[in-house]
């Protein structure tokens, strides 16, 4: 399963998708590579915004010591409340 990562994960291995770096010689990236970087940034920003909404609004998520297998219920409950706050409904989109 591919993972979208930031440039700090360059060389992390197979399945870790990082943006193309700007060439050191001053040349521009190709249009295809710039487009791929823009698409990757757009996708990552959605996930990062969602994570920020959950952790900043629900400080309990920052300080929890639940095991990863049990924290899912807490995160799902917080997600329903975030949707209710922002959309006026508890329906998950």
């Amino acid at each position: 399963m591919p993972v979208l990562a930031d440039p700090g994960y360059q060389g992390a291995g197979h399945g870790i998708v990082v943006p193309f770096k700007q060439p050191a010689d001053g040349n521009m990236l190709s249009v295809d590579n710039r487009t791929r970087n823009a698409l990757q940034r757009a996708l990552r920003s959605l996930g990062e915004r969602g994570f920020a909404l959950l952790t900043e609004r629900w400080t309990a998520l920052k300080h929890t010591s639940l095991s990863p297998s049990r924290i899912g219920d807490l995160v799902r409950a917080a997600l329903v409340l975030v949707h209710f706050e922002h959309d006026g409904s508890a329906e998950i989109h």
Side-chain angles (χ1 to χ4, degrees), residues 20-30 33-34:
F20 288 103
K21 290 185 176 182
Q22 188 68 28
D25 60 6
N27 289 331
M28 294 286 293
L29 282 174
S30 71
N33 290 347
R34 285 186 303 208

Side-chain angles (χ1 to χ4, degrees), residues 14 18 22 25 27 33 40 47 53-54 59 61 67-68 71-72 81 83 85 91:
H14 185 70
V18 295
Q22 188 68 28
D25 60 6
N27 289 331
N33 290 347
Q40 184 177 350
L53 275 173
L54 285 173
T59 56
L61 294 176
S67 71
I71 197 169
L81 294 172
H83 276 284
E85 270 185 338
E91 182 182 334

Side-chain angles (χ1 to χ4, degrees), residues 49-87:
R49 175 67 177 144
F51 183 75
L53 275 173
L54 285 173
T55 57
E56 292 303 315
R57 176 63 179 93
W58 305 99
T59 56
L61 294 176
K62 286 184 179 180
H63 305 290
T64 187
S65 59
L66 291 173
S67 71
S69 63
R70 296 194 58 218
I71 197 169
D73 292 334
L74 180 62
V75 172
R76 278 189 287 279
L79 183 61
V80 167
L81 294 172
V82 166
H83 276 284
F84 186 75
E85 270 185 338
H86 289 278
D87 299 337

